[in-house]
C-alpha cells in the first residue's frame, strides 16, 4: 500500500476544504495512506520570496524537516506549496551553505533537514505513481462523454525542465481519460490564471481569468478541472468580477480533479465537498449534448 | 637543496604540465593577449595530458615544487579523442595516494582549458598560486619530511 | 575589481546562486515579454527591465510596476533561450525594492506582502494567500467582491474579522525566524 | 652519458617584446656560467633570433663550435619551432636536437615583475637545456600515399570535392546513403540570393559526377569499417541491395509507373508527397536506377505482386539481390555527410504537428518547388487555399540554449528567400520574426534591402508561441503568433494563415559514430572538429581524414562548395607528393621488456596498438600512432617509450626547471 | 692459497633473507667450500672490531640485507663497503626498503608514539628509549633511530642488486654458482649496478593466466570474491601488482591464486614503481565520469600501501634523499 506524508497547506484548511476532503476520499478508495505533517507551517506562497529569500527557504525547510522524520515522500495538493517545497528541497541538496544557514535556524525548533525528502504534487501521485488501470479499477460511474478542460496552470510543471514537456504535457488528460471523461484540448491549459495578482494587480488578473474562461468555453468544455486551490478560486469566484469588468456572462463550473475522480468512484458528492461552489457543478456533468 | 627565501610573502614554485593542443595554446593565447598572471608556474609541454606519468608529478614534488598543475583539453574536446579522461583518472587516483603520503591533495590541480581560454588559464593560475601560498612551503626534498602534516592511516578491513 | 557594485551586480547578488545564467547574457530577443501574460499591463516589458538593469538605470527599474505585476508563472523562465531565470529576477527586484523601500506610488504589492509576511511570522499560517475567498463562504459575497481592495486595507489595519490559524510550537517558530531576521525587522 | 653534449643557448630580445621585461643579457650570461655542467658551451642574446641573421648566428656556432644541441629561448614553439629546426638542419644538425623555450608568451608578456620574469626565463632555459641533452636525432616517417580517395556523402560539398579530384585524374569513390546523390540541395526550390533554381545548377554537377570515368558512384551504400592510416586506408562499404541489376536497368521508369504501392515519402518530400515502393527519389536522380524499398514492397510483405518484374523491359528487377561488402583501398578520405534539419516538433509552443498550417523550412521548399507535391503552388495544408498572411519564424532551434546554442548561419537568408517567394507567388502579407538579421556575405545585405523594398514586415523579436487561441475579433481561424516587438516594447498578437518555421541545422544523428569510425573527434554539440578553426579548416587531427560542408558546422551552399574544393586541393597536394612525412613523435614497445599484460591495449583510440597472441607482446604501429604518449605513461613495465617526449627528457626538464626558485620581491625593491 | 672472503649482514629487516640463504640446502656447502666466511652474525660469532681490523677491500663478496634505519646500520654499511670488493644489496629491504620502509609513511616521532604510548602498550610512566643511559655498571648505549629508513644505495655505493622478499632460494643458488664460476674464470661478472638473481621482464611474463584487453568497472579484494583460476587477476578487478613487478619468482603468488604484491620490486628501467601501477590501474578503469571513477577507486583500499608496500623507501616521494634520474 502506498503511503505519503501529506502537506495540505493553508488554503485547504478553509477556502479549499473541498479539495482537502476529495483528496482524502479518493486516495482512501485507492488504498493510499496520507499522513498529515504534524504542526506544519505555511509554505509562504510567493510572497515570502518578495521579502527574504532565506526566510522563505527556512519556512519550507521546516516542513521538509518534519516530513523527513516520516521517511516518506511528501505530497502537496497546492501548486504553490509544491513549487516552493520542491525547489527548496532541490537547493538544499546542492547548496551546502544554504543548508547550513537553514539548519542553524531549524535548531530553534529542534529540527534538522538532511536533504532526504522527495517532493511531489498530488496530481503526480495520480499521474505517475498510479497506473491508469489502478484508477480505472475503482471507477463505478465513468464520466462518459463529459468534456473536461484540464487546467494545469503554472507551477505543477514550471519551472522544472526535463521532468515533463513543460509546454504540452499530457498526464492530466491521462487521468481524465482513466475516469471516462473526454479531455478537451484548449490552447490556454498551460497559461497562468493570475492568482497571485488578484490583490496587487486586479485588472491584469481578471483579464487573465477572462482569457482562460473564454478559451475553455470555445473548446466546448463543460467544466474546468484544476489541481490547485489558487486556480480554482481565481477561475470560479472571480467570474462575476470578470463579467462586471468585461460585460461577459460566464457562469462556468470549476472543479478539483479529485472531485471528478471522486464522482467517478461513486463517492457521494457531499463527501467531496461539492455544493460549496459558486457555480453549481453537478448539472454540467451530463454527457455533452444531453443537457 | 631548494632554499626558500625567508620572506613574509612565500613564493611557491609550481610545475605545470600542459597538452600541446589546448592548454599550451591557452598559455600562448594568454601571452599574445598580454594577460598578466603570477610568475610562479613553470610549464612543461606534453603532447597530451594523457602522457602525464604520475612519476612526473612525484618527481616535481620530490624535486622541490610546492604544487603541480595538470592541464589539458576539455573533456570531449581532446585532440586525441578521449585521452584526457585517462589523465583525469590518474589525477583522481594520484590525489588519494598523495593524501596518504602526507601531501595535501590541494597541491595537485587539474585544469581544463581550451585554446581559446587564455583568460581562464591566466586567472586560474593566479588563483592556484594563492591557494598554494596559503598552504605554505612543501619542503619535501631531502629527509626534511618530518614537518609534514600527520598522515591519516586508513583502517583496512580484512 | 571595483568596491562599489554596479546595479547589475547588486541584483545578480540577490539572485539565488544556483539560478540560471547571469543577466548580462541576455540577447534581448523578447521571448520573455512575448510570453508574459501580464506584459501588456507593465510599464516596461521584462526584457526592457533586463536592459535597464544592464544599463544601470536603477531609478527607472525601481519606479516601474513590472516586477510587482509578475504573476510568477515561470513561463518566461522555461522559454528563455539564454536560460536566465527571469521569474527569480522579479523576486530579487521585489526584495531589493522593499529593502531600499523604494517603489512606485500607489502599488498595493509591496505593502501587501509586508503585511502578509508579518502575519505569517506571527501566526505560522496564513488564513489565505489570496485574501478574499477566505470568508466567501461566511460573508456577503457581493460586498466583498466589490471591495477586494478595501479588504486589503482592512487587513493592513489589522482589523480583518477572522483569526488566522496558528501553529502549535509558535514560540520555537518565532525564534527560528529570529535567527534569520530579527523580529523587529518586520514588526 | 658517455659523451658530453655541446649545447648552445640563444636568447632572443624579440625587439622589446622580451627584452622589455626580461633582462636577456643577464639571462644569457647566467646560462653560460651556471649551465656549464649540463654542457652549455656558448650562450648569446640577439635582437631577433628568427631573422635570417639570427639563424645564421646559430648555424655558424654549430659549424665552428661543433654544437650538438641547440636551445633557443624566444617565442612559442607553435610559432617558430619549425624555423629554428630548419636552421639547425641547414647546418647539418638533426632538427630534433633543437629545443625552443617560450620566454615571450610564458614570461615577458604575462609578467610585470622584471626580476621574477628574468628568473623564470632562467628556469625555463635551464629546463630546456637539461631536456635537450636527452634529445635524440629523429627522422620523420615516410608513408606512401594511395592515389585513390574516398568521399563520404553525395551532397553538394561531396560532389564538388569528387569532381575536383577526378578532374585532376585520380580515382574517387563517392559513397551516398540515399539512392541518389544530390543531398539537401536537391530538395530546394530556389537558392538565395541569386534565386536561380537549385535543380538547374545542381543537376549538371550530379550528371558530371555520375558519368565521370574517375568517379565510382556507390549510392544506397554506407561505410562499415575503416582500417589503416593516412595514405593506406582500407575501407569496407556495404552496398545495400537495390533489388535492381544496374547493368540491365535503363532507368526507363516503367517499374515505378506500374508499381501499385504508394508510400509516403518522408525523406525527399519530407512527408508532403508520395512515391512508389520501387522508386527513384526524384526525376533527375543520379544514378538513374531505382531501388525497391523492401519495408513497403508488397512482394516482400505478402510474397506476391512482382508487377515491376513483369513489366520491366530488360528484366533488371532482381528480388533475390543481396547486400554486397566492398573493400577498397584509398589514401585519403573526405567526410561530407552534411546535416539534419532541426526537428520542429521539439518546440511544442510553436505547434508544429499540432497546428495544421505550421510548416518547416524543408516543407516549404517542397511546397514552393515546381517539381514538388503542389507543383509549386504555395497553399495551406488543405492543398488549395492560398494564404493571405504568412509569418516566418527565424532561429527555430538555433541561438537557444534549450536546443542549440549556436547560430545556424543560413536561416536568415533562407527566411528572406521564403519571404520573397511568398510575396512573389501569392502577394500575401509577409512577416519576418527575427532576433537579428545576419547577412554576412556577398550580396546578402542587398537581398535583405530588396525584401525591405518589397514591403515585407520585419518584427524584431523571438516568437514566444504560435497558437489557435482566439481572443480578439479577426483572430478566428487564424494562427496567432505572439511576440514582443522589441523595438517598440509592445506585445503583439499577429494573426496569420501560415507560419513557416525556419528550422536550424543540426549534426547528423549519427555524427558521433561516424567520427569514431574515422578516428576523429566531434565538438560537444556534435559537429566534427577541424584541425584549426582558422588556419586548417578542412583537415582533422587524424592525418588523411578531411571534412567538408555542413558536417564541420552550419554553412550555406557557396561555403560548402568552397570547402569541398579546398579539401580536394589538400588531398591532390598530398597525392602529388606520392608520400607523406609524419612527425616522428611516436611510441614504441621494447619487445624484451613487454610481458604482454595488455594494459596498453585499450588506451589507444587510434587502434595503433596490436597484441601478438603468439609472442605475447604488444606492438605499436608507428603510422597509426598519433604520438599522444598515453600508452607510454600507462605501461606498468616501462616497456613503452615515446620519442621526443621520453621519461628521461621530461624528468630532466623538471630537474632543470627546479634548479632555482623564484626570488622574493623584497630582494629588488 | 687462502679462500676468498665472504660476509653477510642483517640490518633493518626481518631475517627472512638469512633463512632463504639456508633454504638453498646443500648449496650452502659450496659457499663454505669456496669461501672463507669472515663475518655473518647470524651464522657465526664475529665482532665489529674484527671487521674494522680487516684490510680495505679484503672481503670479496658481501651480501647486505636490510635497510638503514639507525646509525649502527649506517656505520656497518659504510664499513662493509670499505672492506668489500663486491657489495650486494640483498633482498627487498636493502634494495628498496621493503616492509620496514613503510615506516617512511610517518615521521619517526609518530612511530615511537605508536610503539610506546598506545593503549596496547603498558607504559604508565611513558618511558622512552634513551640512546645513552647511565647505569651503576657504566653508560649503556643503543643506536639512534633516523627520521627515515634509507635503502642501501642511498647510503653507500652498491655493486649489485638482488631483489625479493626474500630472494627465491633457487635464484640465490644460481647467483652463488655464478660467483663461483667467476672465481674459476668460467664466467664474467655482470656490469656494475646490474640486478642479479632475477628476470628482466615482469611477473606477467611468467604468469600462466589468460589475459585480454582490460576494462575495469570495479576493484575487489581477492578474499571477498571467487576469482577465475585461469584468468588474469587484474582483469577480474583484483589489484595485482604483477604487471609492474620484476620477474624472477616464477609468478609464485598468481599461480597460487593470490595477487602479486610486488616483492621483487620495479621491473628493469622503472624509476618509480608506484607511479607505474597508478598509471596502469587508472588507465584500465572503464569510466569517464568523475564520480563513477571515484566509486571504482574506493575499491582500492589503501592505494599507497598497494603501490608502495615494498618500494616506499626507494620511491621518488618517500626516498631518504630526493629521487635521482637514472642517467645523471
Amino acid at each position: 500500500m502506498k503511503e505519503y506524508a501529506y502537506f495540505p497547506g493553508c488554503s485547504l484548511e478553509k477556502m479549499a476544504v473541498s479539495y482537502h476532503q476529495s483528496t482524502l476520499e479518493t486516495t482512501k478508495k485507492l488504498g493510499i495512506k496520507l499522513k498529515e505533517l504534524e504542526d506544519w507551517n505555511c509554505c509562504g506562497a510567493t510572497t515570502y520570496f518578495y521579502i527574504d529569500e532565506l526566510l522563505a527557504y527556512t519556512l519550507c525547510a521546516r516542513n521538509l524537516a518534519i516530513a523527513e522524520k516520516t521517511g516518506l515522500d511528501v505530497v502537496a495538493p497546492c501548486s504553490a506549496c509544491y513549487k516552493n517545497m520542491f525547489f527548496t528541497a532541490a537547493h538544499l541538496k546542492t547548496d551546502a551553505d544554504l543548508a547550513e544557514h537553514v539548519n542553524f535556524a531549524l535548531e530553534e525548533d529542534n529540527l534538522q533537514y538532511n536533504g532526504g525528502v522527495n517532493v511531489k504534487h498530488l496530481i503526480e501521485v495520480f499521474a505517475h505513481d498510479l497506473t491508469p488501470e489502478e484508477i480505472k479499477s475503482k471507477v463505478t460511474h465513468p464520466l462518459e462523454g463529459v468534456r473536461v478542460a484540464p487546467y494545469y496552470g503554472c507551477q505543477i510543471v514550471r519551472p522544472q525542465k526535463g521532468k515533463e514537456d513543460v509546454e504540452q504535457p499530457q498526464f492530466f488528460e491521462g487521468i481524465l481519460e482513466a475516469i471516462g471523461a473526454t479531455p478537451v484540448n484548449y490552447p490556454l491549459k498551460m497559461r497562468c490564471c493570475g492568482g497571485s495578482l488578484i490583490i496587487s494587480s486586479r485588472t491584469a488578473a481578471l483579464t487573465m481569468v477572462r482569457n482562460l474562461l473564454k478559451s475553455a468555453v470555445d473548446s466546448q468544455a463543460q467544466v474546468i478541472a484544476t489541481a490547485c486551490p489558487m486556480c480554482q478560486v481565481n477561475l470560479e469566484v472571480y467570474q462575476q468580477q470578470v463579467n462586471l469588468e468585461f460585460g461577459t456572462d460566464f457562469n462556468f463550473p470549476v472543479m478539483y480533479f479529485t472531485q471528478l475522480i471522486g464522482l467517478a468512484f461513486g463517492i457521494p458528492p457531499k463527501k467531496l465537498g461539492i455544493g460549496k461552489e459558486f457555480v453549481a457543478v453537478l448539472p454540467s456533468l451530463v454527457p455533452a449534448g444531453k443537457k | 637543496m631548494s632554499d626558500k627565501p625567508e620572506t613574509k610573502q612565500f613564493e611557491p614554485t609550481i610545475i605545470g604540465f600542459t597538452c600541446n593542443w589546448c592548454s599550451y595554446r591557452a598559455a600562448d593565447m594568454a601571452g599574445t593577449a598580454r594577460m598578466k598572471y603570477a610568475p610562479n608556474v613553470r610549464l612543461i609541454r606534453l603532447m597530451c595530458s594523457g602522457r602525464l606519468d604520475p612519476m612526473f608529478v612525484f618527481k616535481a614534488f620530490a624535486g622541490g615544487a610546492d604544487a603541480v598543475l595538470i592541464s589539458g583539453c576539455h573533456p570531449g574536446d581532446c585532440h586525441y579523442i578521449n585521452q584526457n579522461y585517462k589523465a583525469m583518472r590518474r589525477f583522481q587516483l594520484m590525489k588519494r595516494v598523495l593524501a596518504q603520503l602526507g601531501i595535501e591533495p590541494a597541491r595537485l590541480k587539474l585544469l581544463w582549458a581550451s585554446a581559446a581560454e587564455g583568460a581562464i588559464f591566466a586567472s586560474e593560475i593566479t588563483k592556484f598560486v594563492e591557494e598554494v601560498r596559503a598552504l605554505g612551503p612543501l619542503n619535501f626534498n631531502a629527509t626534511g619530511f618530518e614537518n609534514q602534516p600527520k598522515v591519516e592511516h586508513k583502517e583496512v578491513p580484512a | 575589481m571595483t568596491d562599489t557594485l554596479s546595479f547589475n551586480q547588486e541584483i545578480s547578488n540577490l539572485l539565488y546562486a544556483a539560478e540560471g545564467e547571469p543577466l548580462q547574457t541576455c540577447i534581448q530577443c523578447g521571448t520573455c515579454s512575448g510570453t508574459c501574460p501580464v506584459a501588456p499591463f507593465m510599464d516596461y516589458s521584462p526584457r526592457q527591465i533586463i536592459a535597464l538593469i544592464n544599463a544601470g538605470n536603477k531609478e527607472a527599474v525601481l519606479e516601474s510596476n513590472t516586477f510587482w505585476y509578475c504573476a510568477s508563472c515561470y513561463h518566461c523562465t522555461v522559454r528563455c533561450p539564454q536560460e536566465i531565470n527571469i521569474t527569480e529576477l522579479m523576486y530579487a527586484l521585489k526584495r531589493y525594492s522593499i529593502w531600499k523601500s523604494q517603489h512606485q506610488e500607489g502599488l498595493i504589492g509591496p505593502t501587501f506582502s509586508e503585511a502578509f509576511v508579518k502575519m505569517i511570522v506571527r501566526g505560522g499560517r496564513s488564513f489565505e494567500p489570496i485574501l478574499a475567498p477566505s470568508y466567501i463562504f461566511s460573508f456577503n459575497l457581493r460586498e466583498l467582491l466589490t471591495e477586494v481592495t478595501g479588504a486589503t486595507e482592512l487587513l493592513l489595519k489589522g482589523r480583518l474579522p477572522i483569526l488566522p490559524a496558528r501553529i502549535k510550537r509558535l514560540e520555537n517558530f518565532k525564534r527560528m525566524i529570529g535567527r534569520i531576521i530579527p523580529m523587529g525587522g518586520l514588526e | 652519458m658517455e659523451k658530453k653534449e655541446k649545447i648552445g643557448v640563444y636568447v632572443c630580445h624579440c625587439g622589446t617584446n622580451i627584452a622589455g621585461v626580461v633582462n636577456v643579457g643577464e639571462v644569457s650570461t647566467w646560462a653560460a656560467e651556471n649551465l656549464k655542467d649540463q654542457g652549455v658551451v656558448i650562450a648569446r642574446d640577439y635582437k631577433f633570433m628568427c631573422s635570417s641573421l639570427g639563424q645564421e648566428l646559430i648555424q655558424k656556432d654549430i659549424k665552428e663550435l661543433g654544437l650538438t644541441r641547440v636551445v633557443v629561448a624566444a617565442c612559442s614553439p607553435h610559432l617558430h619551432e619549425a624555423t629554428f629546426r630548419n636552421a639547425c638542419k641547414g647546418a647539418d644538425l638533426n632538427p630534433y636536437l633543437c629545443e625552443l623555450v617560450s620566454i615571450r608568451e610564458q614570461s615577458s608578456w604575462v609578467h610585470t615583475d622584471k626580476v621574477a620574469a628574468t628568473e623564470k626565463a632562467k628556469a625555463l632555459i635551464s629546463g630546456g637545456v637539461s631536456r635537450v641533452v636527452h634529445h635524440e636525432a629523429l627522422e620523420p616517417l615516410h608513408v606512401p600515399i594511395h592515389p585513390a580517395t574516398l568521399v563520404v556523402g553525395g551532397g553538394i560539398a561531396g560532389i564538388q570535392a569528387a569532381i575536383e579530384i577526378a578532374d585532376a585524374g585520380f580515382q574517387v569513390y563517392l559513397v551516398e546513403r540515399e539512392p541518389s546523390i544530390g543531398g539537401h540541395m536537391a530538395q530546394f526550390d530556389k537558392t538565395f540570393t541569386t534565386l536561380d533554381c537549385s535543380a538547374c545548377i545542381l543537376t549538371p554537377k550530379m550528371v558530371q559526377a555520375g558519368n565521370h570515368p574517375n568517379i565510382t558512384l556507390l549510392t544506397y551504400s554506407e561505410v562499415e569499417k575503416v582500417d589503416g592510416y593516412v595514405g593506406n586506408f582500407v575501407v569496407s562499404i556495404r552496398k545495400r541491395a537495390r533489388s535492381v541489376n544496374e547493368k540491365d536497368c535503363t532507368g526507363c521508369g516503367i517499374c515505378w509507373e506500374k508499381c501499385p504501392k504508394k508510400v509516403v515519402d518522408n525523406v525527399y518530400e519530407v512527408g508532403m508527397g508520395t512515391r512508389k515502393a520501387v522508386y527513384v527519389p526524384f526525376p533527375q536522380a543520379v544514378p538513374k536506377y531505382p531501388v525497391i524499398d523492401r519495408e513497403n514492397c508488397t512482394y516482400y510483405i505478402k510474397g506476391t505482386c512482382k508487377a515491376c518484374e513483369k513489366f520491366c523491359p530488360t528484366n533488371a528487377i532482381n528480388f533475390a539481390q543481396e547486400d554486397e561488402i566492398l573493400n577498397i583501398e584509398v589514401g585519403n578520405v573526405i567526410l561530407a555527410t552534411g546535416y539534419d534539419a532541426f526537428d520542429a516538433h521539439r518546440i511544442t509552443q510553436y505547434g508544429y504537428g499540432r497546428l495544421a498550417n505550421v510548416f518547416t523550412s524543408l516543407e516549404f521548399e517542397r511546397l514552393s518547388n515546381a517539381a514538388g507535391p503542389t507543383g509549386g503552388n504555395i497553399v495551406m495544408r488543405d492543398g488549395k487555399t492560398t494564404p493571405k498572411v504568412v509569418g516566418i519564424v527565424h532561429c527555430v532551434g538555433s541561438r537557444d540554449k534549450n536546443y542549440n546554442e549556436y547560430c545556424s548561419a543560413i536561416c536568415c537568408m533562407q527566411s528572406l528567400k521564403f519571404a520573397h517567394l511568398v510575396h512573389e507567388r501569392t502577394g500575401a502579407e509577409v512577416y519576418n520574426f527575427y532576433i537579428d538579421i545576419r547577412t554576412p556575405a556577398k550580396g546578402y545585405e542587398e537581398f535583405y534591402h530588396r525584401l525591405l523594398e518589397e514591403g515585407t514586415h520585419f518584427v524584431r523579436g523571438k516568437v514566444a508561441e504560435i497558437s489557435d487561441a482566439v481572443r480578439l475579433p479577426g483572430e478566428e481561424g487564424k494562427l496567432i503568433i505572439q511576440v514582443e516587438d522589441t523595438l517598440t516594447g509592445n506585445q503583439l498578437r499577429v494573426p496569420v494563415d501560415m507560419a513557416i518555421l525556419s528550422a536550424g541545422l543540426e549534426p547528423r544523428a549519427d555524427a558521433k559514430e561516424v567520427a569514431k569510425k574515422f578516428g576523429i573527434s566531434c565538438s560537444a554539440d556534435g559537429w566534427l572538429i577541424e584541425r584549426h578553426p582558422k588556419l586548417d579548416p578542412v583537415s582533422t587531427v587524424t592525418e588523411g581524414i578531411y571534412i567538408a560542408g555542413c558536417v564541420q558546422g552550419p554553412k550555406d551552399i557557396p561555403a560548402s562548395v568552397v570547402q569541398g574544393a579546398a579539401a580536394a586541393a589538400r588531398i591532390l597536394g598530398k597525392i602529388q607528393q606520392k608520400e607523406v612525412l609524419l612527425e616522428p613523435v611516436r611510441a614504441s614497445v621494447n619487445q624484451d621488456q613487454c610481458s604482454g599484460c595488455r594494459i596498453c591495449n585499450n588506451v589507444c583510440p587510434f587502434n595503433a596498438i596490436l597484441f601478438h597472441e603468439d609472442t605475447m607482446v604488444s606492438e605499436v604501429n608507428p603510422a597509426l600512432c598519433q604520438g599522444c604518449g598515453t600508452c607510454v605513461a600507462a605501461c606498468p613495465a616501462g616497456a613503452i617509450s615515446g620519442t621526443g617526449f621520453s621519461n628521461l627528457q621530461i624528468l630532466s626538464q623538471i630537474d632543470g626547471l627546479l634548479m632555482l626558485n623564484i626570488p622574493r620581491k623584497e630582494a629588488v625593491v | 692459497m687462502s679462500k676468498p672472503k665472504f660476509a653477510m649482514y642483517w640490518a633493518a629487516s626481518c631475517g627472512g633473507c638469512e633463512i632463504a640463504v639456508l633454504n638453498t640446502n646443500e648449496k650452502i656447502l659450496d659457499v663454505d667450500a669456496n669461501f672463507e666466511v669472515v663475518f655473518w652474525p647470524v651464522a657465526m660469532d664475529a665482532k665489529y672490531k674484527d671487521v674494522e681490523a680487516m684490510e680495505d677491500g679484503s672481503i670479496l663478496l658481501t651480501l647486505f640485507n636490510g635497510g638503514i634505519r639507525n646509525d649502527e646500520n649506517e656505520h656497518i654499511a659504510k664499513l662493509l663497503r670499505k672492506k668489500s670488493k663486491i657489495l650486494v644489496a640483498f633482498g627487498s629491504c636493502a634494495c628498496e626498503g621493503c616492509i620496514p620502509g613503510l615506516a617512511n609513511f610517518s615521521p619517526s616521532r609518530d612511530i615511537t608514539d605508536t610503539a610506546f604510548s598506545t593503549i596496547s602498550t603498558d607504559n604508565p610512566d611513558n618511558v622512552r628509549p634513551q640512546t645513552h643511559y647511565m647505569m651503576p655498571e657504566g653508560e649503556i648505549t643503543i643506536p639512534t633511530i633516523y627520521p627515515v629508513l634509507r635503502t642501501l644505495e642511498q647510503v653507500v655505493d652498491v655493486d649489485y642488486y638482488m631483489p625479493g622478499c626474500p630472494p627465491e632460494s633457487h635464484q640465490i643458488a644460481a647467483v652463488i654458482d655464478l660467483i663461483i664460476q667467476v672465481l674459476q674464470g668460467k664466467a664474467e661478472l655482470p656490469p656494475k649496478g646490474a640486478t642479479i638473481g632475477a628476470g628482466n621482464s615482469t611477473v606477467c611474463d611468467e604468469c600462466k593466466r589468460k589475459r585480454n584487453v582490460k576494462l575495469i568497472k570495479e576493484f575487489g579484494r581477492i578474499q571477498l570474491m571467487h576469482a577465475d583460476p585461469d584468468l588474469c587477476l587484474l582483469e577480474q578487478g583484483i589489484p595485482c601488482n604483477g604487471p609492474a613487478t620484476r620477474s624472477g619468482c616464477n609468478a609464485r603468488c598468481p599461480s597460487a591464486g593470490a595477487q602479486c604484491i610486488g616483492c621483487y620490486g620495479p621491473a628493469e628501467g622503472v624509476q618509480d614503481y608506484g607511479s607505474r601501477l597508478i598509471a596502469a590501474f587508472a588507465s584500465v578503469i572503464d569510466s569517464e565520469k568523475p564520480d563513477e571513477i571515484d566509486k571504482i577507486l574506493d575499491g582500492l583500499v589503501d592505494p599507497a600501501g598497494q603501490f608502495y608496500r615494498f618500494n616506499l623507501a626507494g620511491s621518488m616521494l618517500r626516498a631518504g634523499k630526493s629521487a635521482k634520474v637514472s642517467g645523471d
Side-chain angles (χ1 to χ4, degrees), chain E residues 159-291:
Chain E
D159 299 306
Y160 299 113
Y161 303 85
M162 189 161 175
C165 180
E168 290 287 320
S169 298
H170 73 274
Q171 294 283 16
I172 300 173
V175 169
I176 294 173
D177 280 340
L178 172 75
I179 306 278
I180 291 171
Q181 292 194 353
V182 171
L183 289 176
Q184 300 163 345
K186 295 197 194 116
E188 280 288 305
L189 274 175
K192 186 169 189 299
T195 300
I196 57 177
N200 285 340
S201 148
T202 72
V203 171
C204 296
D205 209 23
E206 298 173 331
C207 179
K208 299 277 166 295
R209 290 169 176 267
K210 279 202 313 307
R211 54 199 85 146
N212 313 300
V213 171
K214 294 169 178 45
L215 286 172
I216 296 182
K217 268 252 175 274
E218 181 183 20
F219 282 110
R221 311 192 63 204
I222 193 161
Q223 62 271 48
L224 303 181
M225 56 199 285
H226 302 292
D228 176 333
D230 307 320
L231 185 59
C232 166
L233 290 163
L234 182 54
E235 226 161 291
Q236 307 180 56
I238 296 160
C240 174
N241 289 1
T245 307
R246 184 182 286 273
S247 54
C249 61
N250 295 329
R252 217 176 228 274
C253 301
S255 38
Q259 76 266 42
C260 169
I261 56 176
C263 74
Y264 255 69
E268 188 70 41
V270 167
Q271 286 160 36
D272 189 68
Y273 179 78
S275 302
R276 303 269 39 77
L277 284 165
I278 294 170
F281 282 18
S283 299
V284 292
I285 288 175
D286 183 19
S287 167
E288 296 188 341
K289 296 180 222 63
D291 312 2

Side-chain angles (χ1 to χ4, degrees), chain A residues 39 48 83 104 158 167, chain C residues 73-74 79 120 168 179:
Chain A
D39 200 36
Y48 277 91
K83 176 230 137 197
F104 170 69
R158 289 193 302 266
E167 294 285 351
Chain C
C73 74
Y74 288 92
R79 285 182 181 174
I120 293 155
K168 298 197 212 81
R179 283 197 175 189

Side-chain angles (χ1 to χ4, degrees), chain D residues 1 134 592-599 601-603 611 613 616 630 632-638 647-648 651-652 655, chain E residues 200-202 204-205 211-215 234 243-244 267-271 276-277 279-280 283-284 316 325-328:
Chain D
M1 248 114 336
H134 302 291
D592 306 338
Q593 269 170 275
C594 175
S595 46
C597 70
R598 305 200 64 175
I599 279 174
N601 288 188
N602 77 321
V603 304
F611 179 68
E613 292 285 352
M616 291 293 278
T630 307
V632 182
C635 177
N647 289 346
L648 196 49
L651 292 172
S652 315
D655 277 336
Chain E
N200 285 340
S201 148
T202 72
C204 296
D205 209 23
R211 54 199 85 146
N212 313 300
V213 171
K214 294 169 178 45
L215 286 172
L234 182 54
E268 188 70 41
V270 167
Q271 286 160 36
R276 303 269 39 77
L277 284 165
S283 299
V284 292
M316 277 181 172
V325 174
S326 73
D328 59 51

Side-chain angles (χ1 to χ4, degrees), chain A residues 26 29 135-144 146 175-181 255-269 272 274 282 285:
Chain A
T26 46
K29 251 268 190 316
I135 298 176
K136 282 203 190 83
S137 68
K138 298 278 180 286
V139 173
T140 57
H141 302 59
L143 305 181
E144 291 299 347
V146 179
I175 297 174
L176 296 175
E177 278 158 359
I179 58 170
M255 296 174 73
Y256 295 108
F257 76 104
T258 44
Q259 293 179 302
L260 285 166
I261 296 174
L263 290 172
F265 286 2
I267 301 167
L272 300 167
I274 295 177
L282 294 177
L285 293 182

Side-chain angles (χ1 to χ4, degrees), chain D residues 1 12 16 30 214 263 277 299 407 426-427 520 531 545 559 587 640 655:
Chain D
M1 248 114 336
C12 181
T16 57
W30 176 86
N214 291 337
V263 181
Y299 171 71
C407 166
T426 69
I520 64 178
R531 186 180 277 268
I545 308 282
I640 308 181
D655 277 336

Side-chain angles (χ1 to χ4, degrees), chain E residues 23-89:
Chain E
N23 282 352
T24 57
N25 309 330
E26 52 287 334
K27 209 21 126 219
I28 201 74
L29 302 174
D30 298 5
V31 178
D32 182 59
N34 291 278
F35 290 93
E36 174 194 353
V37 179
V38 293
F39 182 66
W40 189 354
V42 178
M44 58 178 275
D45 182 25
K47 298 275 178 285
Y48 292 167
K49 58 175 171 23
D50 307 340
V51 184
E52 279 151 4
M54 295 179 190
E55 220 172 282
D56 289 3
S58 57
I59 305 176
L60 175 72
L61 174 66
T62 298
L63 303 183
F64 192 104
N65 79 75
I68 310 303
R69 175 83 258 184
N70 59 34
D71 52 6
E72 183 189 23
N73 299 154
E74 182 170 12
H75 169 67
I76 303 301
K78 291 194 166 137
L79 180 62
L80 286 171
R81 168 71 280 181
K82 206 148 93 260
K83 306 294 176 190
S84 318
K85 278 204 180 56
I86 303 172
L87 176 65
V88 178

Side-chain angles (χ1 to χ4, degrees), chain A residues 8 10-24 26 77-79 121-123 126 143 148-151 172 175-176 179 223-237 253-264 272-277 279 281 285, chain C residues 128 130 133 137:
Chain A
C10 306
S11 338
L12 274 71
E13 285 198 298
K14 256 191 246 65
M15 171 188 81
V17 66
S18 51
Y19 191 12
H20 187 56
Q21 296 165 330
S22 50
T23 300
L24 298 183
T26 46
C78 164
S79 300
H121 189 286
L122 178 65
I123 197 166
F126 286 85
L143 305 181
V148 184
Y151 178 57
F172 206 150
I175 297 174
L176 296 175
I179 58 170
V223 57
I224 294 177
T226 78
C228 170
M230 306 296 105
C231 307
Q232 198 277 341
V233 166
N234 220 43
L235 288 177
E236 191 195 31
V237 175
V254 184
M255 296 174 73
Y256 295 108
F257 76 104
T258 44
Q259 293 179 302
L260 285 166
I261 296 174
L263 290 172
L272 300 167
I274 295 177
K276 295 210 186 81
E277 304 76 13
V279 182
V281 296
L285 293 182
Chain C
E128 238 63 273
I130 298 175
F137 308 111

